[in-house]
Structures are given as structure tokens and as C-alpha cells.
């Protein structure tokens, strides 16, 4: 093989390894959210298990050496699960019988001198 072909093979290998590492990191983060699934309802469970099944299943939108579709599905599931967790925590912080509090960014913070 020529020198240019070797350079292309090395670059393609580095990109494949980088996307694989990214997919594994996202999968680990999604798996770590598993302990929060009991309070997230059916939507959270479907997002969690759907993302993992899509990642593991051999038939993908893009061929397996290209993990961009897997990373996209895992990232979308992670964003969705994170939003569900934040909503759940906000609901847990609010006391029963209290009117809805404005979001944190709308509150005026006072500084105590």
C-alpha cells in the first residue's frame, strides 16, 4: 500500500476508536441512571431500555464501525432521562398545598451583607 493509503487507514481507525469510546461512555452514563428508573414512570423505562437495545442490536441505521447513530440514541435517552430526573426532584421539593414556585432563574436573589 502507498503512504497515502496507510494514512487514511490510520485516520479511519482513530475515528472508529474515538466514536466507540464515545458510545461506551454514553452507554455507561445511561446505565448509571438505571437506579433512578423506579420513579421515572413508563416513559423513562422505555427510553432506557430502548436506547440500550438499539445500541446492542446488530441492525442499525449506519453500519457498526460508525457509532454515530448509537451515540445519538444514547445521548437523546440521557437528555430525556436527565429532564425526567430534574422534574421529579423539583416535584419532590415542592411541599403539598403550596402554589407552584417560579423557576430558579426568575427568582430575585437577595444578598445578605
Amino acid at each position: 500500500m502507498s503512504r497515502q493509503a496507510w494514512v487514511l487507514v490510520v485516520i479511519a481507525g482513530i475515528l472508529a476508536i474515538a466514536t466507540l469510546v464515545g458510545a461506551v461512555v454514553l452507554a455507561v452514563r445511561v446505565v448509571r441512571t438505571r437506579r433512578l428508573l423506579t420513579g421515572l414512570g413508563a416513559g423513562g423505562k422505555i427510553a432506557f431500555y430502548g436506547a440500550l437495545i438499539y445500541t446492542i442490536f446488530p441492525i442499525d441505521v449506519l453500519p457498526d464501525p460508525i457509532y454515530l447513530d448509537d451515540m445519538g440514541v444514547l445521548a437523546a435517552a440521557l437528555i430525556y432521562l436527565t429532564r425526567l430526573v430534574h422534574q421529579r426532584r423539583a416535584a419532590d421539593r415542592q411541599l403539598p398545598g403550596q402554589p407552584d414556585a417560579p423557576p430558579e432563574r426568575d427568582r430575585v436573589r437577595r444578598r445578605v451583607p
Side-chain angles (χ1 to χ4, degrees):
M1 271 210 274
S2 69
R3 182 172 172 84
Q4 290 177 343
W6 277 109
V7 170
L8 289 176
V9 168
V10 169
I11 290 173
I14 290 171
L15 288 175
I17 290 172
T19 56
L20 175 63
V21 168
V24 169
V25 167
L26 285 171
V28 167
R29 286 187 179 179
V30 169
V31 169
R32 286 184 181 170
T33 61
R34 184 177 189 273
R35 61 188 163 93
L36 303 172
L37 286 180
T38 56
L40 297 183
K45 291 177 185 177
I46 289 171
F48 173 78
Y49 289 114
L52 288 183
I53 289 171
Y54 182 82
T55 303
I56 294 170
F57 200 62
I59 298 174
D60 287 341
V61 174
L62 296 174
D64 269 341
I66 304 170
Y67 294 104
L68 295 178
D69 60 332
D70 296 331
M71 290 174 62
V73 169
L74 288 170
L78 190 61
I79 290 169
Y80 179 70
L81 291 172
T82 302
R83 287 183 182 170
L84 285 178
V85 168
H86 287 300
Q87 289 174 358
R88 172 69 181 217
R89 287 183 181 163
D92 287 345
R93 274 187 255 143
Q94 183 178 358
L95 296 175
Q98 275 188 332
D100 291 338
E104 186 68 32
R105 65 177 179 266
D106 294 340
R107 292 183 191 162
V108 176
R109 294 184 184 205
R110 294 184 213 168
R111 291 189 178 181
V112 178

